[in-house]
Amino acid sequence: MYVYNYIEMARVTGVPISFLLSRGQSIKVMSQILRKAQERNLVVPNRKSNSQQQSEGGVAYEGATVLDANTGYYQKPIATLDFASLYPSIMMAHNLCYCTLVHPRDVKNLPPDSISKTPCGDHFVKADVCKGILPEILEQLLGARKRAKGDLKKETDPFKKAVLNGRQLALKVSANSVYGFTGATVGQLPCLEISAGTTAYGRNMIDHTRKLVMEKYNRKNGYETDADVIYGDTDSVMVNFNFTGTDKEVVEKSMKLGEEAAEYISTTFPKPIKLEFEKVYFPYLLMSKKRYVGLVWTNPEKFDKMDSKGIETVRRDNCLLVRDMVTTALNKILIERNVDAAIAYVKSKIADLLMNRTDMSQLVVTKALSKAGENYAAKMAHVELAKRMEKRDPATAPKTGDRGAYVIIKGVMGAQAHEKAEDPIYALEHNLPIDTQYYLEHHIKAPLTRIFEPIMKNVGSLFAGYESDCRVLSMTIF
């Protein structure tokens, strides 16, 4: 079935299977453009990238909108409204393509009703005049994805479902990469009029959605409560309808109104742009832009899972203690809904750490050695440790491509982290003391502060008094 997955992708994008393993996304887009251009007897220009743009990083237009986050711990359902395939649907709806772009000098020669103007001021002919190549490619990719999702719903075998899910996700990535292809100024066919116009339409749509939600869903229009848009990010808007009642009642009401809002707002956009109600978060902890966590509900009976973004629970370069503390604290806050228990748990774990009751395995940090040590510009803990281990025993020292494991031990006052990094086994064998204060200051404080800041009035009280406790402890050890 994995081979079939590659065959499907190769068939849709028109590239050899070997390219799917060895090349990136742009070759797939370029292949589809060449195939469509041949069907229309069009010639694709061979353009060279601008060296100045390459040196500047290749990005020269404004990206997506991220609405200001009304941070807080929401114990009311938050409905999530998502645009389905936002950028591809914008390109299809407004017929954005290389072959439909109108040069400014030619705008006056065309009937006004045959062209559309992007928020950036560029003009494109409408689909009834000339259908763009890129919209056709996107229709094909999204059509294949729709078929894969349809098969996924019917399939019962877990293995086949996983393969079909992988296929629809791959097709989604390929569709989204068409927009990226036009905005890559270091690529083969950059066209900022398309990419900038696409993101500009997206920004306007997010603002438009927020405006309609606030205008329509309020007591003045006969609704039970006044709705608030608490956050918006690229292709989604988070809405608090402010319902009160039992968990089941408020989730049901939020789902119903979320579906209604999605349908209503979708009618204000040209097809195939569609706003969908996806899920409800309840409770919901919004820490900042790009950082939130909540329990996902897709039915009012029981939550499905905990969903997070920008939280230190899955990053491999965090020590296990941080991941465990963050995960447990979030479980107590969101699932048990007991903030006091979460605070007590965090304080007890910090006390255990500073009193050397934490197992060293919980403090091991791993980072990848992506290149040879001499090629790193700055001195990094895992790199400098690898050099020292190479001198001790080359056979056991981590090599390029490995993940180097280390702990931070106590050192002389003012010593840098790369000077205090040590191999965990070596530290155990030689009974080297752990720099617990370093872990508190550099690993624990930041993620826990982000979690508790929207909840507590004085988040500093989580760590209050531990600095002096640690100094006393250090004096006792030595």
Side-chain angles (χ1 to χ4, degrees):
M1 290 299 289
Y2 286 111
V3 173
Y4 184 81
N5 210 3
Y6 283 121
I7 290 172
E8 172 72 8
M9 180 62 76
R11 184 187 66 78
V12 171
T13 59
V15 298
I17 291 179
S18 61
F19 280 21
L20 300 177
L21 302 171
S22 61
R23 305 286 290 273
Q25 292 291 337
S26 63
I27 188 63
K28 300 178 193 175
V29 181
M30 191 64 189
S31 171
Q32 293 172 88
I33 290 174
L34 291 170
R35 185 163 60 180
K36 289 293 181 184
Q38 185 181 35
E39 291 175 4
R40 295 196 188 183
N41 292 322
L42 297 175
V43 176
V44 178
N46 182 19
R47 294 185 58 184
K48 292 184 178 179
S49 299
N50 186 305
S51 59
Q52 182 180 356
Q53 288 175 326
Q54 287 188 36
S55 65
E56 292 173 354
V59 178
Y61 61 94
E62 188 178 354
T65 284
V66 180
L67 300 180
D68 290 336
N70 296 334
T71 59
Y73 175 43
Y74 293 90
Q75 299 191 63
K76 295 179 180 179
I78 305 300
T80 304
L81 308 180
D82 280 322
F83 285 99
S85 303
L86 176 63
Y87 288 163
S89 65
I90 288 173
M91 294 176 71
M92 289 188 286
H94 299 284
N95 202 36
L96 306 184
C97 185
Y98 305 99
C99 62
T100 61
L101 176 62
V102 181
H103 195 280
R105 66 170 177 265
D106 297 325
V107 172
K108 61 180 181 293
N109 300 325
L110 294 172
D113 60 350
S114 68
I115 57 175
S116 60
K117 184 179 180 181
T118 71
C120 296
D122 300 304
H123 294 82
F124 292 83
V125 297
K126 295 182 178 179
D128 56 358
V129 177
C130 175
K131 184 71 175 287
I133 286 176
L134 295 182
E136 276 193 22
I137 290 171
L138 291 167
E139 285 177 9
Q140 185 175 3
L141 289 170
L142 295 179
R145 185 185 179 216
K146 188 175 181 180
R147 290 192 296 274
K149 290 178 77 173
D151 293 340
L152 179 61
K153 287 181 180 179
K154 299 174 188 175
E155 189 56 64
T156 56
D157 182 78
F159 176 73
K160 291 181 180 179
K161 286 185 74 170
V163 172
L164 287 168
N165 187 52
R167 184 189 306 165
Q168 68 91 9
L169 288 173
L171 289 164
K172 177 184 178 181
V173 169
S174 294
N176 288 332
S177 67
V178 173
Y179 148 76
F181 179 85
T182 65
T185 54
V186 296
Q188 293 173 286
L189 281 177
C191 184
L192 296 188
E193 292 86 352
I194 298 174
S195 53
T198 301
T199 55
Y201 276 122
R203 291 192 299 274
N204 289 354
M205 288 162 58
I206 292 291
D207 289 335
H208 177 72
T209 299
R210 174 173 61 177
K211 180 172 175 284
L212 288 185
V213 167
M214 302 288 281
E215 285 180 353
K216 181 177 175 66
Y217 296 97
N218 52 57
R219 290 186 174 91
K220 290 180 182 178
N221 293 328
Y223 289 92
E224 185 179 332
T225 60
D226 294 328
D228 296 319
V229 174
I230 63 168
Y231 183 53
D233 184 4
T234 307
D235 63 351
S236 61
V237 172
M238 313 294 190
V239 183
N240 181 8
F241 288 112
N242 286 301
F243 289 122
T244 56
T246 65
D247 287 0
K248 185 177 180 180
E249 288 173 351
V250 294
V251 170
E252 275 183 339
K253 289 179 180 179
S254 296
M255 286 180 170
K256 183 179 178 181
L257 217 53
E259 289 171 353
E260 179 190 314
E263 277 188 41
Y264 162 65
I265 296 170
S266 292
T267 61
T268 66
F269 296 117
K271 292 182 179 180
I273 295 172
K274 185 179 181 183
L275 186 65
E276 297 177 337
F277 166 75
E278 185 182 4
K279 56 183 175 279
V280 160
Y281 285 112
F282 174 54
Y284 183 64
L285 180 59
L286 179 57
M287 287 159 271
S288 64
K289 292 180 178 180
K290 307 286 186 180
R291 290 185 188 274
Y292 56 81
V293 61
L295 300 185
V296 174
W297 299 66
T298 55
N299 69 80
E301 300 297 331
K302 190 179 185 301
F303 73 88
D304 300 46
K305 60 178 180 178
M306 183 186 294
D307 185 32
S308 64
K309 184 174 182 180
I311 309 296
E312 289 85 348
T313 55
V314 294
R315 286 176 54 182
R316 290 194 293 172
D317 57 355
N318 280 319
C319 66
L320 188 59
L321 177 64
V322 174
R323 283 179 277 173
D324 286 350
M325 287 181 72
V326 168
T327 300
T328 305
L330 290 175
N331 282 341
K332 292 182 181 297
I333 292 168
L334 299 173
I335 297 176
E336 298 176 19
R337 301 189 202 176
N338 191 335
V339 174
D340 290 339
I343 293 171
Y345 165 78
V346 168
K347 288 186 173 182
S348 70
K349 295 297 287 186
I350 293 174
D352 287 344
L353 170 68
L354 298 181
M355 294 176 70
N356 285 322
R357 292 200 295 253
T358 302
D359 191 277
M360 188 183 289
S361 63
Q362 293 267 302
L363 304 175
V364 176
V365 180
T366 64
K367 290 189 177 181
L369 284 164
S370 56
K371 50 190 174 183
E374 61 272 12
N375 294 329
Y376 284 88
K379 290 188 175 182
M380 303 178 71
H382 66 301
V383 177
E384 297 304 307
L385 174 60
K387 292 178 183 178
R388 295 200 298 272
M389 292 176 67
E390 181 74 24
K391 293 177 182 178
R392 287 180 203 155
D393 184 3
T396 60
K399 310 297 181 186
T400 302
D402 293 342
R403 292 191 68 83
Y406 65 91
V407 291
I408 300 296
I409 61 171
K410 287 186 181 293
V412 297
M413 186 172 291
Q416 300 296 310
H418 66 82
E419 298 173 307
K420 299 189 290 182
E422 190 50 84
D423 173 35
I425 297 175
Y426 185 89
L428 274 174
E429 290 175 346
H430 293 80
N431 200 28
L432 300 177
I434 296 295
D435 189 347
T436 54
Q437 186 68 14
Y438 178 90
Y439 281 93
L440 176 61
E441 295 291 337
H442 294 87
H443 286 265
I444 293 173
K445 265 193 175 181
L448 289 176
T449 297
R450 281 192 286 269
I451 289 172
F452 285 95
E453 202 165 33
I455 301 173
M456 300 174 64
K457 290 182 179 179
N458 180 19
V459 72
S461 63
L462 270 177
F463 315 102
Y466 287 120
E467 290 81 2
S468 58
D469 289 347
C470 191
R471 283 196 294 270
V472 172
L473 182 62
S474 299
M475 291 171 63
T476 304
I477 291 173
F478 290 103

